[in-house]
């Protein structure tokens, strides 16, 4: 089957796009689409482009069926999520056309919400014609995903994790995304807003799951993560066990933070490289002792409270291991060994 033969070309107004989107007939399939990425400046520039009457790139949508109760046709957005999201958000009054991001600083629409535009400007937006490529329902989902990847492979808009989100729909990534919903991450602001938009949380959590499955010596490079997604795509019997273990370790970290009067430990929990090491060290302690003792909790709190101002041999080595390359296998192993020994009291700082 040649996909190009299964695509119809037509134009639709923004009015049609907004109505179908708000009615749920035009939607984003997040099983392969990335999270909403555009910042306000990108959204504003798009709206300005429309107001200026310039052309914007075409949008791909895929017919997925018909609502049996209303007869409305359902479409999945294959390419154009950012553009449609920006348009609908502006129409809904979610942002104004901030002057700082406009090329025409003194335009009449500068600084205005949609509701504040002139009648003519509103009419121009509603009537603006978008180029659509409608993909017929007969096209298989795997071909749609390949098309999405192909459309996004010619530029740098998608990072490796976003590409994985499009390519894989298996058990491993689903488990990582469920763990990403744990309250811990937001409570301690582990991931920035940009990292969340670009699925940095899912990639980091994937590295934790890789450790639980393959140990500390496993590869956490991009190719290594891809291999794990392949291996555990269709069968992942340990998924619930891994999720429970992650939750248990995060709960232990939470307890340590509450006992740390200095507040220093929480600072390192917010840093992914430190969090990765702390996660593995605590896992090893819990595996060996079932629970962390009061003395062990005291040891890790004391270590991090002195971390930045300690100049003993071990503390300096530990800091250097983070500076020399956090993903290097030998460095990872040595960092975990040091921290584990500190927690167990084998090393006194």
């Amino acid at each position: 089957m040649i996909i190009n033969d299964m695509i119809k070309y037509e134009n639709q107004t923004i009015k049609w796009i907004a109505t179908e989107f708000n009615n749920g007939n035009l939607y984003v399939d997040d099983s392969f689409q990335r999270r909403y990425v555009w910042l306000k400046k990108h959204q504003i520039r798009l709206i300005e482009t429309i107001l200026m009457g310039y052309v914007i790139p075409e949008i791909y949508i895929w017919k997925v069926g018909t609502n049996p109760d209303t007869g409305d046709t359902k479409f999945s957005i294959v390419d154009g999520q950012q553009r449609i999201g920006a348009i609908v958000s502006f129409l809904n009054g979610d942002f104004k056309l901030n002057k700082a991001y406009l090329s025409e600083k003194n335009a009449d629409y500068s600084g205005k919400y949609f509701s504040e535009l002139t009648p003519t400007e509103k009419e121009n937006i509603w009537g603006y014609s978008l180029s659509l490529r409608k993909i017929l329902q007969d096209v298989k989902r795997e071909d749609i995903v390949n098309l999405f990847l192909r459309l996004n492979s010619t530029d740098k808009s998608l990072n490796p994790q976003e590409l994985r989100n499009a390519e894989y729909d298996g058990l491993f990534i689903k488990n990582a995304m469920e763990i990403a919903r744990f309250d811990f991450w937001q409570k301690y602001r582990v991931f920035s807003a940009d990292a969340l938009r670009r699925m940095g949380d899912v990639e980091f959590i994937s590295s934790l799951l890789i450790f639980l499955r393959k140990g500390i010596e496993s590869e956490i490079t991009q190719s290594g993560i891809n291999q794990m997604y392949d291996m555990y795509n269709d069968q992942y019997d340990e998924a619930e066990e891994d999720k429970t273990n992650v939750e248990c370790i995060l709960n232990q970290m939470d307890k340590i933070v509450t006992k740390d009067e200095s507040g220093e430990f929480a600072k390192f929990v917010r840093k992914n490289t430190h969090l990765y090491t702390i996660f593995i060290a605590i896992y090893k302690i819990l595996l060996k002792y079932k629970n962390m003792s009061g003395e062990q909790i005291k040891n890790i709190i004391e270590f991090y409270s002195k971390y930045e101002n300690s100049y003993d041999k071990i503390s300096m080595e530990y800091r250097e291991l983070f500076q020399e390359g956090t993903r290097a296998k030998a460095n990872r192993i040595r960092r975990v060994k040091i921290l584990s020994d500190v927690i167990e009291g084998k090393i006194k700082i």
Side-chain angles (χ1 to χ4, degrees), residues 208-226:
L208 300 182
L209 293 176
I210 290 173
F211 160 73
L212 292 176
R213 286 299 93 230
K214 296 296 181 181
I216 193 170
E217 295 188 356
S218 56
E219 292 293 339
I220 53 174
T221 59
Q222 296 301 337
S223 61
I225 297 175
N226 287 342

Side-chain angles (χ1 to χ4, degrees), residues 81-217:
Q81 175 197 2
Q82 316 300 324
R83 279 156 278 160
I84 292 175
I87 291 167
V88 173
S89 291
F90 182 65
L91 294 174
N92 290 342
D94 294 338
F95 64 90
K96 63 181 179 180
L97 300 176
N98 191 314
K99 183 177 181 178
Y101 302 130
L102 296 173
S103 57
E104 298 292 331
K105 305 294 185 184
N106 298 316
D108 292 339
Y109 47 76
S110 177
K112 295 181 179 180
Y113 289 94
F114 175 76
S115 61
E116 298 172 324
L117 298 179
T118 66
T120 299
E121 288 167 341
K122 290 179 182 178
E123 289 174 10
N124 289 340
I125 290 178
W126 287 122
Y128 182 89
S129 183
L130 293 164
S131 296
L132 293 186
R133 293 199 178 200
K134 285 186 176 180
I135 307 169
L136 301 183
Q137 190 173 352
D138 293 338
V139 177
K140 296 179 180 179
R141 185 185 183 281
E142 62 186 66
D143 292 321
I144 294 297
V145 172
N146 287 332
L147 175 60
F148 172 80
L149 291 168
R150 179 69 60 177
L151 289 168
N152 287 278
S153 66
T154 55
D155 58 32
K156 301 298 182 182
S157 62
L158 295 184
N159 65 33
Q161 185 57 42
E162 290 167 327
L163 289 170
R164 276 191 287 271
N165 185 56
E167 189 171 357
Y168 295 94
D169 187 31
L171 300 176
F172 196 88
I173 190 171
K174 286 180 179 177
N175 206 32
M177 294 184 79
E178 286 182 20
I179 293 170
R181 298 189 185 100
F182 287 176
D183 294 337
F184 179 90
W185 314 111
Q186 184 174 359
K187 181 178 181 179
Y188 292 107
R189 302 189 303 279
V190 175
F191 305 106
S192 67
D194 186 59
L196 290 171
R197 282 195 299 270
R198 305 306 301 269
M199 305 195 74
D201 55 337
V202 177
E203 181 172 271
F204 177 75
I205 291 166
S206 295
S207 72
L208 300 182
L209 293 176
I210 290 173
F211 160 73
L212 292 176
R213 286 299 93 230
K214 296 296 181 181
I216 193 170
E217 295 188 356

Side-chain angles (χ1 to χ4, degrees), residues 268-322:
F268 292 94
V269 165
R270 297 187 186 101
K271 300 176 181 179
N272 287 179
T273 50
H274 280 276
L275 178 56
Y276 180 85
T277 303
I278 293 169
F279 179 93
I280 296 176
I282 290 178
Y283 171 82
K284 288 180 173 294
I285 294 298
L286 295 180
L287 195 64
K288 185 175 181 180
Y289 298 100
K290 304 301 181 185
N291 293 293
M292 286 187 73
S293 67
E295 187 66 24
Q296 289 171 339
I297 291 174
K298 179 183 176 182
N299 289 341
I300 193 172
I301 288 175
E302 186 175 358
F303 177 74
Y304 279 105
S305 67
K306 296 178 178 179
Y307 177 82
E308 293 178 337
N309 297 309
S310 292
Y311 294 97
D312 59 277
K313 183 178 179 180
I314 291 296
S315 295
M316 292 177 67
E317 180 188 0
Y318 193 73
R319 287 197 295 268
E320 288 173 2
L321 289 167
F322 280 100

Side-chain angles (χ1 to χ4, degrees), residues 27-41:
Y27 67 94
V28 176
D29 182 351
D30 59 10
S31 69
F32 69 88
Q33 282 273 27
R34 56 180 166 171
R35 295 170 180 170
Y36 197 78
V37 172
W38 273 13
L39 300 174
K40 281 292 180 288
K41 63 181 180 181

